[in-house]
Amino acid sequence: MGSGYTVNVSIDGFRFRIPVNIVANGGEYYYVVNEPRCGNTCAEVKGQVLSYMRRFNVDVLEAVNQVVRDLDGVDKQDFEAALYYLLRDIRSYGPITVPLFDEYVEEVELNNWSQPVTVVHRELPGIRLVTNIRFEGEVEAREFIYSFSRRGLPRNVSLMKPYIETILPEGHRFTGTIGEITLGPTFSIRKFPEKPMTLEDLVSRGMLKPSTAAYLWLIAELKGFIMISGPMSSGKTTLLSAIAGKLPMYSKVVTIEDTPEIKIPHPHWVRMFTKDGDEKSRVEMFDLVRLAVRYRPDYIIVGEVRGEEVHALFQASALGHGMLTTFHASTPNELIIRLTSPPLNVNPGNLQLLSTVVFTAIRNGRRQVVNVMEPRWVNGRLEFMELLNEQGEVDVERSVKVRELGRFYGIDVNEELKRRTKLLTMKPA
């Protein structure tokens, strides 16, 4: 990627190439957007277009064509700059349009209207980059939040309910406030890539070793129970989606989420979402896991487990469904304490139903699988056995779960893991 690259911004069939620079200075990282300069002529065209739209109630493109015909001496550069800003502000997302189109940007945030917008960049995970994007004042920032309600999105914001949680048309998750419950307007947009990363992508990026990816692929396909655990932004959902993308095409998959994050290229895929509401109309994850079993899926995937649905997950696993989920815990001890303590209260014996737990983290500025462990019941006590050797490769001889699954399905797991490892490292023709 380097320190500079170009973001392709496409609006209403028009494509603009906007340069972006990543700058490091004194321990801080900056995300600098180089939008076209809008001088006097550009500003005049913009003003007249907006006036024409209000007077005649016409589309922005029709107004642009009319105004340019009426004006003399508008050169190409001024015209393109005016068109860019008009489309950016009317048809797209105003000042944050470029980072929303940038495939490398994962989050866009406004934490204080008087400070610049910040972003989280895929090449610098866990670091917030300060941008040169600012709102001119609190009123403009508040109007920006209100604009999402006016777009006809499923949630509204008002003084009675001064926050909004919704999904943008592109699939990104938007959360914002207009003040009242925060010191001025704020927002956070979590972006999700249009094309999810594959296991091959994650191997090539160094998130995990080929043998580890092959092990997880095999455990998942053989209907094991995989839990991916780690802190926020450590790549849990990315890894989950990549593993899910390897499930057999003939199988049936049900995903359960609060908001749509998981994307899998699968023809027999049922997506379920929780629903807010009062006690009678609310639909929670526990309800959906129980409902999912009725669909007779081969695999059930829960975006993140954090409530009583965990009990339904273990029951579904015991019934023979393949299970994939994520969890917030950074160490095995923390995972056991959280699962077995209130409000989850999982019976420690049920944790043996887990096939494997994958721990992710951000190390040296990169998302990585830092441990893969299998639960064992030893002398009346639950323990976790580490499977990764010093090189970060899975040691198959340490794995009890994969050998159990191999015997059940009648396959040679050593040969199967070698075959899958080779497939994951093959270069495309």
Side-chain angles (χ1 to χ4, degrees):
M1 179 193 68
S3 60
Y5 57 97
T6 299
V7 176
N8 292 317
V9 175
S10 298
I11 311 171
D12 282 3
F14 291 89
R15 188 175 183 182
F16 305 93
R17 293 171 58 83
I18 309 299
V20 165
N21 290 98
I22 307 298
V23 180
N25 185 15
E28 289 274 3
Y29 287 88
Y30 297 88
Y31 179 91
V32 182
V33 180
N34 300 296
E35 293 181 298
R37 179 179 175 277
C38 189
N40 293 335
T41 304
C42 167
E44 182 182 358
V45 172
K46 281 178 57 185
Q48 292 201 26
V49 167
L50 294 171
S51 176
Y52 193 91
M53 289 175 65
R54 285 192 293 267
R55 284 175 58 202
F56 298 102
N57 192 29
V58 296
D59 176 89
V60 59
L61 296 179
E62 184 179 340
V64 167
N65 289 331
Q66 184 60 48
V67 168
V68 170
R69 278 197 297 267
D70 292 343
L71 288 174
D72 292 327
V74 178
D75 63 27
K76 182 181 178 182
Q77 188 172 348
D78 284 324
F79 169 74
E80 288 182 350
L83 181 63
Y84 167 74
Y85 284 107
L86 286 162
L87 292 175
R88 185 200 77 166
D89 296 340
I90 295 171
R91 294 295 185 84
S92 194
Y93 294 103
I96 65 166
T97 293
V98 173
L100 282 185
F101 272 89
D102 187 344
E103 63 179 342
Y104 290 103
V105 170
E106 298 180 337
E107 294 182 37
V108 184
E109 305 169 326
L110 178 70
N111 300 317
N112 185 323
W113 65 266
S114 65
Q115 299 296 321
V117 169
T118 56
V119 299
V120 175
H121 202 275
R122 195 172 76 193
E123 299 300 319
L124 297 163
I127 298 173
R128 276 161 175 78
L129 286 69
V130 179
T131 75
N132 60 333
I133 301 168
R134 284 178 176 266
F135 287 91
E136 293 184 3
E138 184 174 2
V139 172
E140 184 190 23
R142 185 179 291 112
E143 280 298 310
F144 180 77
I145 308 295
Y146 275 123
S147 72
F148 285 88
S149 293
R150 300 189 191 111
R151 289 170 183 262
L153 295 171
R155 309 288 172 85
N156 291 318
V157 61
S158 66
L159 291 176
M160 292 292 291
K161 180 178 166 291
Y163 65 92
I164 180 173
E165 296 177 284
T166 191
I167 304 298
L168 303 184
E170 297 81 7
H172 310 319
R173 186 171 69 198
F174 178 91
T175 307
T177 69
I178 56 170
E180 305 298 319
I181 55 173
T182 54
L183 293 175
T186 66
F187 65 77
S188 176
I189 302 173
R190 184 174 180 188
K191 292 176 58 187
F192 300 104
E194 187 174 335
K195 183 181 178 184
M197 287 194 182
T198 64
L199 267 181
E200 288 87 346
D201 293 332
L202 299 185
V203 167
S204 67
R205 293 174 66 84
M207 183 176 182
L208 72 170
K209 297 287 187 178
S211 64
T212 307
Y215 162 84
L216 294 173
W217 178 4
L218 184 60
I219 289 279
E221 187 172 320
L222 299 183
K223 297 186 179 180
F225 187 167
I226 299 176
M227 181 174 282
I228 302 170
S229 188
M232 290 180 63
S233 299
S234 60
K236 298 187 296 296
T237 303
T238 300
L239 178 58
L240 182 146
S241 294
I243 297 170
K246 289 293 186 184
L247 296 177
M249 288 293 110
Y250 55 78
S251 61
K252 185 173 184 178
V253 180
V254 175
T255 59
I256 299 168
E257 303 171 87
D258 282 329
T259 54
E261 299 182 18
I262 300 168
K263 287 187 178 181
I264 54 175
H266 205 286
H268 311 297
W269 174 26
V270 179
R271 304 186 79 178
M272 294 183 177
F273 307 105
T274 58
K275 179 176 176 288
D276 292 334
D278 57 27
E279 190 173 341
K280 291 183 178 180
S281 63
R282 185 167 57 245
V283 180
E284 298 181 333
M285 279 199 171
F286 180 78
D287 307 309
L288 294 179
V289 175
R290 293 178 61 187
L291 179 65
V293 173
R294 305 289 185 188
Y295 278 67
R296 298 180 63 192
D298 298 288
Y299 306 95
I300 299 174
I301 301 172
V302 176
E304 179 188 341
V305 62
R306 56 177 178 271
E308 63 175 347
E309 69 274 2
V310 69
H311 299 284
L313 244 66
F314 280 98
Q315 290 175 22
S317 175
L319 291 173
H321 301 281
M323 308 295 299
L324 279 149
T325 191
T326 68
F327 193 71
H328 278 288
S330 299
T331 65
N333 190 48
E334 186 181 328
L335 181 134
I336 292 173
I337 291 172
R338 282 206 60 209
L339 283 173
T340 58
S341 303
L344 301 184
N345 293 317
V346 175
N347 186 315
N350 285 344
L351 296 183
Q352 295 176 90
L353 291 168
L354 287 168
S355 301
T356 189
V357 180
V358 185
F359 288 94
T360 60
I362 298 175
R363 298 277 176 86
N364 301 316
R366 191 170 65 180
R367 293 182 176 95
Q368 289 184 304
V369 168
V370 294
N371 222 328
V372 178
M373 313 184 87
E374 290 183 356
R376 309 272 176 86
W377 200 255
V378 180
N379 298 324
R381 183 169 176 268
L382 185 73
E383 296 181 357
F384 280 89
M385 171 66 74
E386 295 187 17
L387 300 188
L388 298 188
N389 59 24
E390 292 181 357
Q391 290 73 42
E393 304 277 2
V394 163
D395 184 346
V396 184
E397 298 307 314
R398 300 182 191 176
S399 173
V400 171
K401 298 289 186 177
V402 78
R403 289 200 298 273
E404 287 177 351
L405 288 168
R407 285 194 295 271
F408 182 82
Y409 285 95
I411 63 172
D412 184 329
V413 293
N414 289 305
E415 289 303 313
E416 190 59 31
L417 287 171
K418 286 179 184 177
R419 183 181 74 84
R420 293 176 189 234
T421 300
K422 186 177 179 180
L423 287 172
L424 288 165
T425 53
M426 285 177 62
K427 293 183 178 180

